[in-house]
Amino acid sequence: MLRRLIIIPISLFFVVAFSYALVEIMPGDPALAIAGNTANEREVAIIRAELGLDRPFDERFVRFFTDIAQGDLGRSFFDGQIVSHEITRYFPASVEIMVLSLLFAGLIGLSLGALAGYFRQRAPDSVARIVITALQAVPEFLIALLLIFFIFYLWRWAPAPIGRLSLTDTYPPVVTNFLFIDLILAGDWNGLRSTAHRSVLPVATLAIGTAAYFAKVARATIGAAMSSKQVQFARACGLSEFKVLQYALLQARGPIITYTAILVAALVGGASIIETMFSWRGLGQWGLQAILNKDVPAIQGFVIATGSFTMIVYLALDLVVAALDPRIRHDRG
Amino acid sequence: MTAAESSPGTLRAHFGLWFGLTVITAMLVAAVFAPLPYDPIKPNADAVLQAPSAAYWMGTDSIGFDVFSRVIEAARRDLPLAFGGAIISAVIGVPLGLATTLKGRASEIIMRGLDAFQAFPLLVLAIAIVTLTGNRLEMVIFAIVLIETPRMMRLIRSEGLAIRESRFIEAAEAMGARPRRILFVHLLPNVTGIILAQTSIAAANSLTVVAALSFLGIGVSPPDPSWGVMIQAGARLMTSGQWWVSLFPGVAVFLAVMSLNLIADDLDVIFERTSR
Amino acid sequence: MSLVVKDLETRFITRQGVVYAANGVNFTVGDGEIVGIVGESGSGKTVTINSILGLLDPAGRVRNGSALFDGTDLLAIRRRELRRIRGARIGFIAQNPFGALNPMLTIEDQFYNVMRAHRRADRTEVRQQALEMLRRVGIAGPERTLDGYAHELSGGMAQRVVIAIALLLNPPLVIADEPTTALDVTVQRQILDLIKGLIREGQRSMLIVTHDLGVVAQYCDRVVVMYSGRVVEEGPVAKVFTRPLHPYTLALLRSVPRLGTEVQGLGGRVPDLLSRPTGCAFRHRCAFAKESCAVATPPTAAIGPDRAVACVLDVEREVPALVVD
Amino acid sequence: MSLIELEHVHRTFRRPDGTVVYAVHDVSLTVADGTTVAIIGESGSGKSTLGRLVLGLLTPDSGRVAFEGKTLSTLSAEEIRRQRARIGVVFQEPFEQLNPRLKVGAIVEEPLIIHAPNLKAEERRQRVSALLQEVDLDPQIAARYPQALSGGQQQRVGIARALIMQPSLVVLDEPTSSLDLSVRAQILNLFGRLKQARGLTYMFISHDITTVEYFSDHVVVLYLGRVVEQGPTAKVLRQPRHPYTQALLSARLSVDPSVSPPHLPLTGDPPSPTRLVSGCPLVGRCPIETPECARAPIALQTKDEDHRVACLRA
């Protein structure tokens, strides 16, 4: 258990060092590259000073770390906003889309996987395998386009992909930055309905892509558990098939939870593109824009924020797995 | 010949492998040899947004590019990028992964570092790297290698550690075999299946990364086609009904990625069985 | 109580082809009897009990036959009815207790689940009965055991828990699949003595699958010898083990090392179950094989009132007696 | 002459969770040239660890392991490697000990490639063929992969590999326990024949007392990493003095239904080898223990010439 906690600072160090390295890999004069061709000498000099390129490497490196340790991620080159403020402003929207899609993905994926695992080597399993293999092969942005084409264009079941609220809706006063929560706090039920409606396509996009992976791991682990001696003994004792499936799930839940951590990391990446396509205005969209703008402090902030976030998710799920398994739980005490 | 090798059901049993190999081979052959009906980088202003027809099999886009010609031309760019990236990852990742199976604190620390790396949203990382280094094609490969090599290493390491514990390695040590012999004669041949399967998966992943990058307009210069660029070109048209501009390159990505995954699945099964 | 298995045929559909695992298995377990099924790997002994209990892999299919348990055909009834019999009327003792017990649940929960699968009962009631069962299988601290998990137990203790679960609902028949193979030698005897005591005491019947001839000789009343998915010889242990009539039984008994005599092994290998056997499956390894052995599957012939042998030889005259020093 | 000497050998392992396993604890024994010494014990008794110490695959924490008079710890890595040509090994798992990607021929000739690199390929092939025949295998089998063979055939391949360098010692680590009864007998007979023909010394690791009785000249009984009794097979197994040896013998089940098994003196399971006990390891299960037994380590005492027992009441 202690080992897991020791890893956090090491991992965070890697994350920060990595975000720092991103500037270092820029070819030629990074300041010139960032400022662009139209910039004058003075603008370039300002960026250079901002990046600390006029100082020796080791000094810059230490400086970078001490700044971050104090929560100072600098200001955006692009619009001058304080990066840490921008992150707290956009992060909640990303959490919303990720939690929602993870929820749906888990629901769909685990059911599909459990079905396939339970009926392994029979017809439902074969069908599920084909569905999983096919879904895994569709890039998320393509799923988004197909959903837009069918559900918005052909069938008109969902509104146009142009943001979380329609142009006629007004945004509620900011309390938590979580739009759903703020709308509830403001008692704006029309707005809530509107944003829920507009969440369908982006959430479905991410959920479908992620569900395939959930289904894959659930199918494999539950399938293996179903042919285990434990399940055989449970059946031989006359337990109902429902109970038997529960036994198999108990065995499979550890690996599935561990795998969820990897899916979260992938989801953060996928969310960037999907948020942009649907103008979701979350951290992903903000970060992607920062990258395309070569807005170095914002990129570094984005990398550190997402890296730390997934790291924490990893750790939390690791602890959940340990807490659920009596074998690990008891060894600790 | 074992019973498994000679059994009549092989082709049916490994449908995925044969399907996948056929599709990928067809794509490669088309990319290399197929004559293109139209110039893929010269638009025809008289034929804008034509629906699929006898003249334009997959229709044309809003500038007047022939979608079919560009789907094939794009394969010439996307497939080598993905395969190149995957193969380089294997070439680097396999020896490094095997090296970490040697006992030692250093390898433990390296693996911890890689664990931390896995926590990154890797797609975002790839986008950042390629953008910041000036949007060049070779940086796409670099990004792919950066993403796929740790995965290869982890897999080879865990597989290698398992095989290291096996009796035949112990028997080889007991007969006085040197480490080099154990590595090349005993360890490596037993991870070949995993390497092939993982390289196939890496190629599939890379193809998705290439498509995502070019979808965002990263890593490719404008007139050159790439499946992602073409999907992007049709993205807006999806809401006005011209589905074919995005759909056909999308299908190409889908088929290629699925084929590579199917190949990997079956390779796993085949190698698992012949060694047990 | 009686269990009558007739013409049981089980196959597995695998990627390599059809595996003919059981090819017409016949035997009976009478009231109060302990019957041992003995055979080497691939003989179909485990497949036989898994077929009877409906525990086959998805790839396995019972193609033919019946298993009459007190007149009810276990192979023909609905799964719901079979489930009511399993655990309540037929107890099952698994080979490896750590594989069988659920590591995520307390031992008490596992007793509770089994009880609840068959009866309405509340927790305190089940706990009382579980404590009683644990005491009867010789567990010293039953309260602590109930509150703990499987991984906290030693191998012998875990197997005692499995036995307690198997006997919780007082089943008239117990099926045991290699119940001591996974245990240490000095523990095996303790567990076997325990099982036999509980079976006799409760006037139950037992079917025990094993590859250990010693277990059969010391703990069983009757023995069923299997080879290549078929019963080759059946009868009282006292008779079969002192005067085996099938050449395979004879060869098995001769393979047991005895001081001062050279052990006699069998040449050749167990036939491949991927092809349907024609003729006697043992003929390639049999010292007395004739041409006629290849023609047809030897029919099972009754020898006296309580024995049966599947061999074309005039077994009493042509198969030599087992010579022990 | 003694081929192997072990003096006060200790070996521990550390599990991932940090607990220490006392696998071999203060073991001393010698194996004379040309004999078969059986190491008998249950799981966790340290018998396989002992075999690996002799093979040099493990090094002792303390104590001395010597083979043909040379102490292993004083040899260089290269010398140990050369030494390994002199010791063959056959493992319990017939298939797992063979590399599934090599053909039988390549498996059997591998020691020759390592230790006699100058030998011509044709010469190697001939030696492999001759040896395959000696272990009752068709030389044609050299062209097949091990997974196509039966368990008995695989085990014969393992034996051929162990013998190709003409070693003086062969360590047999439960070589018959995962084989079917009918095959087991053939393999035991093969071992006997090879020993006679080649003058081999066997170190035979087993948990099956019937096989040991049939097969060995000397017996070493291990319990929780310690030697509790040792001596000539005839003495140890006919007049066992240690309660543990007696228990092992009475746990054996006769295949003769008219012989009922004797009373089993031991109760309970063997304890976990993670606990280091100060006195006799059998305390707690022993029918004749006294308070004294738990107090101090009990040394092996000579009872009848070469019959030695570690028991205060024997």
Side-chain angles (χ1 to χ4, degrees):
Chain A
M1 198 49 50
L2 206 65
R3 277 166 64 109
R4 290 193 177 88
L5 292 174
I6 292 170
I7 291 164
I8 306 178
I10 300 175
S11 306
L12 285 178
F13 173 81
F14 271 108
V15 170
V16 174
F18 203 87
S19 69
Y20 181 74
L22 280 177
V23 187
E24 293 296 312
I25 60 167
M26 290 178 74
D29 185 344
L32 209 60
I34 292 162
N37 296 333
T38 55
N40 60 34
E41 206 39 50
R42 210 175 63 88
E43 285 170 347
V44 176
I46 290 170
I47 291 178
R48 197 172 284 137
E50 188 77 37
L51 284 173
L53 289 176
D54 44 0
R55 282 174 304 227
F57 175 83
D58 49 345
E59 194 190 319
R60 265 185 288 148
F61 193 64
V62 171
R63 176 78 189 266
F64 185 73
F65 266 82
T66 44
D67 279 354
I68 284 168
Q70 290 160 0
D72 179 6
L73 294 167
R75 279 171 182 275
S76 161
F77 288 161
F78 199 67
D79 52 16
Q81 298 284 342
I82 296 171
V83 170
S84 53
H85 292 178
E86 295 284 277
I87 290 174
T88 44
R89 187 173 139 206
Y90 287 114
F91 189 55
S94 284
V95 171
E96 280 174 317
I97 195 174
M98 282 197 288
V99 167
L100 285 174
S101 20
L102 210 56
L103 229 57
F104 284 109
L107 209 67
I108 303 165
L110 294 181
S111 317
L112 185 67
L115 188 82
Y118 183 79
F119 290 107
R120 68 204 182 288
Q121 296 171 38
R122 302 206 208 135
D125 183 26
S126 312
V127 174
R129 232 195 88 175
I130 293 168
V131 172
I132 293 168
T133 314
L135 280 184
Q136 268 190 308
V138 195
E140 266 157 357
F141 56 86
L142 195 59
I143 297 181
L145 287 182
L146 291 173
L147 287 180
I148 290 172
F149 178 70
F150 284 106
I151 295 184
F152 163 67
Y153 174 75
L154 274 187
W155 301 330
R156 299 280 166 186
W157 288 352
I162 47 158
R164 301 192 63 184
L165 284 171
S166 83
L167 298 171
T168 55
D169 293 322
T170 45
Y171 277 81
V174 172
V175 183
T176 59
N177 262 323
F178 290 93
L179 185 58
F180 278 102
I181 296 175
D182 284 353
L183 282 168
I184 292 171
L185 288 178
D188 182 354
W189 308 116
N190 274 333
L192 193 66
R193 200 174 311 126
S194 171
T195 191
H197 203 188
R198 277 154 207 285
S199 301
V200 170
L201 287 187
V203 167
T205 302
L206 283 178
I208 289 172
T210 312
Y213 289 90
F214 264 120
K216 192 183 166 129
V217 67
R219 173 180 178 265
T221 50
I222 294 173
M226 283 307 296
S227 43
S228 71
K229 292 284 165 198
Q230 256 174 55
V231 161
Q232 190 195 40
F233 185 64
R235 280 202 169 128
C237 288
L239 265 54
S240 66
E241 286 305 291
F242 181 70
K243 255 304 191 246
V244 165
L245 185 62
Q246 256 183 27
Y247 272 43
L249 283 172
L250 277 180
Q251 234 179 313
R253 73 181 174 191
I256 291 175
I257 294 172
T258 307
Y259 191 74
T260 306
I262 295 170
L263 290 183
V264 168
L267 208 55
V268 171
S272 300
I273 298 178
I274 302 307
E275 282 181 13
T276 306
M277 289 177 78
F278 288 94
S279 311
W280 188 264
R281 304 216 296 161
L283 192 68
Q285 188 180 356
W286 174 79
L288 190 58
Q289 199 52 52
I291 293 171
L292 296 176
N293 290 342
K294 296 190 186 170
D295 186 351
V296 171
I299 297 173
Q300 288 174 330
F302 179 60
V303 168
I304 290 171
T306 50
S308 322
F309 171 69
T310 46
M311 208 82 72
I312 288 162
V313 172
Y314 263 59
L315 180 82
L317 293 180
D318 218 12
L319 293 177
V320 168
V321 171
L324 286 175
D325 191 335
R327 286 164 295 191
I328 304 175
R329 205 160 66 210
H330 283 249
D331 286 348
R332 196 177 38 174
Chain B
M1 291 277 270
T2 63
E5 290 165 52
S6 61
S7 73
T10 309
L11 198 138
R12 206 183 47 196
H14 303 305
F15 171 77
L17 180 69
W18 294 113
F19 175 84
L21 282 177
T22 312
V23 170
I24 292 295
T25 314
M27 281 187 171
L28 286 173
V29 168
V32 178
F33 298 110
L36 302 181
Y38 301 92
D39 188 330
I41 53 172
K42 260 213 197 103
N44 177 2
D46 298 333
V48 171
L49 283 179
Q50 303 259 329
S53 64
Y56 300 99
W57 297 344
M58 295 182 182
T60 62
D61 71 4
S62 53
I63 310 175
F65 284 127
D66 173 43
V67 174
F68 177 72
S69 303
R70 279 171 72 82
V71 163
I72 294 196
E73 177 67 16
R76 295 180 182 165
R77 186 161 295 99
D78 290 0
L79 291 180
L81 277 181
F83 286 134
I87 290 167
I88 295 172
S89 307
V91 168
I92 302 173
V94 170
L96 285 180
L98 286 177
T100 62
T101 63
L102 304 169
K103 277 158 192 138
R105 282 231 156 261
S107 64
E108 189 67 20
I109 291 169
I110 291 172
M111 291 321 290
R112 288 291 158 213
L114 290 184
D115 280 352
F117 187 78
Q118 290 272 300
F120 275 111
L122 294 171
L123 184 60
V124 172
L125 211 65
I127 296 170
I129 290 169
V130 178
T131 314
L132 289 180
T133 51
N135 247 335
R136 281 170 309 156
L137 217 52
E138 57 270 29
M139 288 321 288
V140 176
I141 293 208
F142 174 74
I144 289 171
V145 170
L146 203 65
I147 293 171
E148 292 300 329
T149 307
R151 287 190 184 153
M152 185 69 80
M153 277 176 71
R154 283 164 65 95
L155 196 74
I156 295 297
R157 175 183 155 87
S158 67
E159 195 71 9
L161 282 177
I163 292 172
R164 256 199 132 65
E165 290 300 308
S166 64
R167 274 294 170 267
F168 65 84
I169 298 277
E170 196 175 9
E173 277 167 0
M175 72 177 78
R178 286 179 185 76
R180 229 178 57 174
R181 183 173 181 83
I182 289 176
L183 181 66
F184 286 109
V185 177
H186 297 289
L187 203 50
L188 210 49
N190 281 288
V191 290
T192 324
I194 298 284
I195 295 172
L196 288 176
Q198 182 59 26
T199 308
S200 189
I201 289 175
N205 292 343
S206 309
L207 213 51
T208 317
V209 170
V210 170
L213 285 174
S214 54
F215 179 76
L216 296 169
I218 301 165
V220 279
S221 14
D224 291 343
S226 169
W227 289 332
V229 168
M230 298 176 67
I231 295 170
Q232 173 62 52
R236 294 267 157 234
L237 302 171
M238 274 289 186
T239 53
S240 55
Q242 283 90 1
W243 48 270
W244 58 88
V245 183
S246 281
L247 185 73
F248 289 111
V251 167
V253 175
F254 168 72
L255 271 181
V257 171
M258 187 172 72
S259 300
L260 289 166
N261 281 334
L262 285 172
I263 292 171
D265 278 356
D266 269 359
L267 281 178
D268 266 343
V269 172
I270 292 167
F271 276 89
E272 179 86 359
R273 203 174 60 215
T274 51
S275 65
R276 236 140 274 182
Chain C
M1 199 304 308
S2 70
L3 175 71
V4 182
V5 175
K6 257 210 169 98
D7 301 325
L8 175 73
E9 274 180 49
T10 300
R11 294 173 196 172
F12 288 83
I13 318 290
T14 68
R15 282 194 173 204
Q16 282 95 325
V18 178
V19 176
Y20 295 85
N23 306 301
V25 176
N26 293 286
F27 66 88
T28 306
V29 181
D31 198 20
E33 258 185 347
I34 299 181
V35 175
I37 300 187
V38 72
E40 299 179 292
S41 51
S43 63
K45 53 189 194 302
T46 297
V47 171
T48 299
I49 56 162
N50 284 348
S51 304
I52 297 170
L53 290 172
L55 297 176
L56 290 172
D57 280 359
R61 291 274 185 288
V62 175
R63 291 298 303 270
N64 192 18
S66 61
L68 294 176
F69 173 64
D70 279 345
T72 313
D73 186 356
L74 299 177
L75 304 181
I77 55 175
R78 291 161 171 275
R79 294 198 73 82
R80 174 181 288 275
E81 289 169 63
L82 182 62
R83 199 155 63 232
R84 255 183 238 135
I85 292 173
R86 293 194 298 223
R89 311 255 309 131
I90 303 179
F92 182 75
I93 301 175
Q95 173 174 1
N96 180 351
F98 294 115
L101 295 173
N102 195 322
M104 299 290 196
L105 296 177
T106 62
I107 301 296
E108 182 176 358
D109 282 343
Q110 302 186 49
F111 273 99
Y112 182 68
N113 286 342
V114 173
M115 183 63 93
R116 281 305 301 270
H118 299 284
R119 283 187 201 152
R120 300 197 67 81
D122 63 23
R123 280 213 161 252
T124 46
E125 227 175 290
V126 175
R127 189 174 172 91
Q128 279 319 309
Q129 292 189 38
L131 285 173
E132 168 60 23
M133 277 317 299
L134 288 182
R135 272 186 214 109
R136 279 174 62 193
V137 297
I139 286 180
E143 282 93 359
R144 246 191 47 213
T145 307
L146 274 190
D147 295 333
Y149 293 89
H151 73 275
E152 297 161 332
L153 302 170
S154 68
M157 287 300 138
Q159 190 61 307
R160 283 169 200 267
V161 169
V162 168
I163 293 166
I165 292 176
L167 296 180
L168 181 67
L169 285 133
N170 200 21
L173 173 67
V174 174
I175 295 183
D177 184 6
E178 306 259 13
T180 56
T181 313
L183 304 175
D184 274 319
V185 263
T186 52
V187 183
Q188 288 184 4
R189 268 283 308 274
Q190 300 173 32
I191 297 294
L192 286 166
D193 287 346
L194 172 74
I195 294 177
K196 185 164 183 172
L198 290 166
I199 295 294
R200 291 289 195 236
E201 179 188 299
Q203 293 170 328
R204 299 174 227 271
S205 312
M206 177 155 83
L207 182 61
I208 179 168
V209 165
T210 180
H211 67 274
D212 187 337
L213 298 177
V215 170
V216 176
Q218 300 301 332
Y219 292 92
C220 297
D221 305 315
R222 288 199 313 118
V223 60
V224 174
V225 184
M226 287 192 68
Y227 187 80
S228 198
R230 209 175 288 257
V231 175
V232 294
E233 182 163 8
E234 185 193 356
V237 174
K239 290 184 184 169
V240 174
F241 273 38
T242 46
R243 177 67 177 99
L245 293 179
H246 195 283
Y248 175 65
T249 319
L250 177 69
L252 263 190
L253 287 163
R254 279 180 174 172
S255 304
V256 179
R258 287 182 182 81
L259 208 56
T261 54
E262 171 149 347
V263 292
Q264 295 172 24
L266 267 172
R269 60 193 285 186
V270 178
D272 191 351
L273 294 170
L274 276 170
S275 52
R276 198 187 172 82
T278 52
C280 177
F282 185 60
R283 67 179 187 278
H284 306 289
R285 307 172 75 189
C286 181
F288 317 102
K290 301 173 178 174
E291 271 172 40
S292 60
C293 295
V295 179
T297 308
T300 306
I303 310 283
D306 52 2
R307 296 190 68 176
V309 178
C311 183
V312 296
L313 298 174
D314 178 356
V315 284
E316 279 165 293
R317 214 169 311 145
E318 289 180 83
V319 178
L322 178 69
V323 184
V324 185
D325 55 318
Chain D
M1 187 195 109
S2 56
L3 201 61
I4 305 170
E5 284 170 74
L6 274 74
E7 282 174 18
H8 303 292
V9 171
H10 292 253
R11 173 71 202 208
T12 56
F13 295 100
R14 191 173 282 276
R15 285 194 187 148
D17 62 3
T19 52
V20 176
V21 178
Y22 298 90
V24 167
H25 194 82
D26 196 17
V27 168
S28 302
L29 59 92
T30 57
V31 175
D33 203 357
T35 59
T36 297
V37 171
I39 312 287
I40 187 162
E42 297 175 88
S43 63
S45 66
K47 56 187 191 302
S48 288
T49 305
L50 205 60
R52 282 162 181 72
L53 286 164
V54 168
L55 285 164
L57 291 173
L58 292 174
T59 51
D61 295 341
S62 66
R64 192 176 83 98
V65 179
F67 176 71
E68 289 180 333
K70 282 175 279 187
T71 304
L72 293 186
S73 56
T74 63
L75 301 180
S76 70
E78 194 52 43
E79 282 171 312
I80 286 188
R81 220 166 270 143
R82 232 174 291 141
Q83 179 103 312
R84 287 183 176 161
R86 311 275 309 133
I87 313 179
V89 58
V90 180
F91 289 107
Q92 173 177 1
E93 307 83 355
F95 177 53
E96 277 92 84
Q97 64 176 335
L98 309 176
N99 184 342
R101 300 267 171 255
L102 291 182
K103 288 180 177 169
V104 167
I107 289 172
V108 177
E109 75 174 352
E110 189 170 8
L112 284 176
I113 295 173
I114 294 166
H115 295 288
N118 298 326
L119 219 57
K120 287 203 176 63
E122 180 56 22
E123 168 76 12
R124 283 203 305 265
R125 214 183 50 74
Q126 277 172 9
R127 285 205 202 174
V128 169
S129 267
L131 200 51
L132 287 176
Q133 270 173 318
E134 198 177 336
V135 298
D136 300 330
L137 285 174
D138 182 348
Q140 302 285 324
I141 230 170
R144 303 176 71 180
Y145 283 98
Q147 50 269 42
L149 308 182
S150 70
Q153 287 173 318
Q154 287 166 352
Q155 201 55 305
R156 287 171 199 274
V157 172
I159 296 167
R161 174 177 64 187
L163 292 179
I164 195 144
M165 294 309 297
Q166 307 191 317
S168 53
L169 171 75
V170 182
V171 175
L172 306 171
D173 189 356
E174 305 246 18
T176 58
S177 21
S178 43
L179 297 175
D180 273 325
L181 188 59
S182 61
V183 180
R184 186 180 304 181
Q186 296 173 306
I187 299 288
L188 280 179
N189 288 336
L190 176 64
F191 282 137
R193 213 178 65 214
L194 290 169
K195 181 184 160 113
Q196 287 234 307
R198 294 168 163 252
L200 292 169
T201 304
Y202 287 137
M203 180 167 167
F204 181 71
I205 297 164
S206 177
H207 70 270
D208 178 15
I209 205 156
T210 307
T211 316
V212 165
E213 184 180 38
Y214 171 76
F215 189 65
S216 65
D217 308 318
H218 280 262
V219 180
V220 177
V221 184
L222 281 185
Y223 185 71
L224 277 190
R226 289 161 228 236
V227 177
V228 294
E229 184 162 3
Q230 68 178 72
T233 306
K235 286 182 186 168
V236 174
L237 298 189
R238 286 289 153 98
Q239 295 119 29
R241 286 168 177 269
H242 199 282
Y244 179 67
T245 317
Q246 290 165 357
L248 277 183
L249 276 160
S250 48
R252 166 167 63 164
L253 298 171
S254 168
V255 295
D256 185 346
S258 60
V259 180
S260 45
H263 172 70
L264 182 73
L266 281 196
T267 53
D269 289 43
S272 155
T274 52
R275 244 192 21 234
L276 186 62
V277 280
S278 51
C280 174
L282 201 60
V283 166
R285 301 181 73 194
C286 181
I288 54 164
E289 70 183 54
T290 63
E292 204 145 328
C293 295
R295 236 164 258 155
I298 293 152
L300 279 169
Q301 293 165 331
T302 306
K303 289 291 172 189
D304 173 12
E305 288 172 71
D306 41 5
H307 187 173
R308 289 148 63 82
V309 187
C311 179
L312 294 177
R313 307 201 47 194

